[in-house]
């Protein structure tokens, strides 16, 4: 199982699109948790104007991304 973090924001329509992409990738055994960009100072400083953002291990994937981008990112 691949554990990733989706950094999101309140009332973010792009974040909803990102969640739909992740939910559509069942065959890749992705387990994702959402973290609000305001939850940690490091998220706020780095990503406040870039959400949604995917964090996996020590890598960062910035929006816009597609399902193909995500699968390549986590492999």
């Amino acid at each position: 199982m691949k554990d990733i973090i989706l950094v999101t924001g309140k009332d973010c329509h792009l974040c909803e699109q990102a969640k739909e992409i992740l939910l559509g990738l069942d065959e890749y055994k992705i387990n994702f948790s959402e973290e609000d960009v305001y939850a940690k100072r490091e998220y706020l400083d780095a990503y406040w104007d870039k959400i949604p953002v995917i964090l996996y291990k020590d890598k960062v994937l910035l929006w816009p991304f597609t399902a193909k981008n995500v699968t390549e990112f986590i492999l």
Side-chain angles (χ1 to χ4, degrees), residues 29-45:
K29 308 231 184 298
I30 295 173
N31 180 37
F32 77 93
S33 60
E34 285 184 70
E35 291 275 347
D36 189 275
V37 72
Y38 291 99
K40 293 183 180 178
R41 183 62 187 212
E42 66 187 72
Y43 293 165
L44 185 59
D45 290 345

Side-chain angles (χ1 to χ4, degrees), residues 10-37:
K10 185 178 179 185
D11 298 323
C12 171
H13 71 281
L14 297 177
C15 300
E16 294 301 320
Q17 291 177 26
K19 281 193 277 188
E20 290 300 317
I21 289 171
L22 294 175
L23 291 170
L25 298 174
D26 288 339
E27 69 268 20
Y28 292 95
K29 308 231 184 298
I30 295 173
N31 180 37
F32 77 93
S33 60
E34 285 184 70
E35 291 275 347
D36 189 275
V37 72

Side-chain angles (χ1 to χ4, degrees), residues 4 8 24-25 27-29 31 34-35 40-41 44 46 54-55 61 63 67-68 70-71 74-75:
I4 65 174
T8 63
L25 298 174
E27 69 268 20
Y28 292 95
K29 308 231 184 298
N31 180 37
E34 285 184 70
E35 291 275 347
K40 293 183 180 178
R41 183 62 187 212
L44 185 59
I54 294 177
L55 307 176
L61 182 63
W63 186 263
K68 181 180 178 188
V70 174
T71 55
I74 62 173
L75 294 178

Side-chain angles (χ1 to χ4, degrees), residues 57-70:
K57 296 185 179 180
D58 61 346
K59 302 186 298 183
V60 177
L61 182 63
L62 301 174
W63 186 263
F65 47 79
T66 65
K68 181 180 178 188
N69 299 138
V70 174

